Amino acid sequence: MALELSSATDEIDWARVAERLLYLFPPVIGVGIVGILQDVEPGVPGLQWGLVLFSSFGYTFLSLGLAAALFLDARRVRRRPQASGHWQPNPLFNAIFALLWAPVAGVVYLFRRHRRFGTPPAWSGWWLVVAVSLAATLIGTVAAVIAVVFSLPRLLTTAVGLAGAISFGAFPVAIHQDAAYVCTRADSWRPNPGLYLGFAFLSLFVPPLQPMLAGYYLLRRRRALGVP
């Protein structure tokens, strides 16, 4: 039984599991931010605390899952010394790091792993989602300015909510997946998906960074592949 369980564990691509878990952190954190800011319908009692609790439990669950994924993947890498070269990740260290600061631990691990093994390419059209995220942020910013100038609170809420939802839910996934595609297709530019995922996470808390990052990425992509 133990041998079968170990074999089943080894068949799972734990690096891809870590990626998917990282993708879920921004939406979970976003739900908590909404709860803290009390940006919900006032007629629903307890909803604000419910959102905060959901975010807290969700973050904890994702952290535990990411810690397990990094531990198992690092252990597998250490068993392949010829393939991993000089990189010998410590399974226990990465697991503890993930428990303490999960998003950063995951991004750093994927960044270093990509430098040795690369990242499997994905759909070639993820740049479209990056472009939509950029457009949503710019349009949302303009709408928010108009709402403030003309005292339109409903427009302000809608603009900020729409731009925030796209940024938190789609932008990190899109830029990471597209970077994985570009680095296997372009000779002049090989973006590290882990690095761009980290910048995308940072842009969620430094809003001006998101349009700059998206614009820069799309420009470099066009120079490398001719698209967009």
Side-chain angles (χ1 to χ4, degrees):
M1 180 65 70
L3 183 60
E4 292 179 358
L5 180 60
S6 177
S7 177
T9 301
D10 290 338
E11 291 178 358
I12 299 175
D13 189 344
W14 291 107
R16 305 289 77 77
V17 173
E19 286 180 1
R20 273 51 183 181
L21 290 173
L22 281 172
Y23 293 163
L24 295 175
F25 275 99
V28 168
I29 294 173
V31 169
I33 292 175
V34 170
I36 292 173
L37 296 179
Q38 301 182 355
D39 189 18
V40 295
E41 291 295 331
V44 184
L47 181 57
Q48 296 165 358
W49 280 110
L51 293 177
V52 174
L53 289 175
F54 174 83
S55 179
S56 300
F57 281 110
Y59 186 93
T60 301
F61 175 79
L62 292 176
S63 297
L64 292 173
L66 183 63
L70 296 188
F71 177 88
L72 293 169
D73 190 73
R75 187 178 65 175
R76 175 183 294 173
V77 170
R78 289 181 68 89
R79 291 175 177 174
R80 302 163 56 190
Q82 294 181 348
S84 58
H86 298 293
W87 185 51
Q88 296 290 321
N90 186 303
L92 185 59
F93 171 80
N94 282 281
I96 294 175
F97 190 10
L99 292 176
L100 296 176
W101 202 359
V104 175
V107 165
V108 171
Y109 185 86
L110 291 182
F111 172 82
R112 299 192 67 188
R113 195 183 197 282
H114 174 82
R115 295 175 65 180
R116 172 54 57 183
F117 298 106
T119 302
W123 177 46
S124 62
W126 277 108
W127 69 269
L128 291 168
V129 183
V130 177
V132 169
S133 300
L134 174 59
T137 300
L138 296 178
I139 294 173
T141 301
V142 172
V145 171
I146 294 175
V148 171
V149 172
F150 294 98
S151 300
L152 302 172
R154 187 176 296 275
L155 176 60
L156 176 62
T157 301
T158 302
V160 173
L162 179 60
I166 295 176
S167 296
F168 273 81
F171 180 62
V173 179
I175 200 167
H176 179 265
Q177 289 286 312
D178 195 72
Y181 172 82
V182 172
C183 72
T184 62
R185 296 295 190 276
D187 295 326
S188 59
W189 182 48
R190 297 185 181 276
N192 187 311
L195 178 64
Y196 278 88
L197 181 62
F199 282 142
F201 280 176
L202 180 61
S203 72
L204 300 178
F205 303 96
V206 186
L209 180 60
Q210 194 266 352
M212 292 190 292
L213 176 62
Y216 169 80
Y217 178 84
L218 292 174
L219 179 61
R220 288 296 305 270
R221 192 187 199 281
R222 178 175 178 80
R223 290 177 178 175
L225 296 180
V227 179

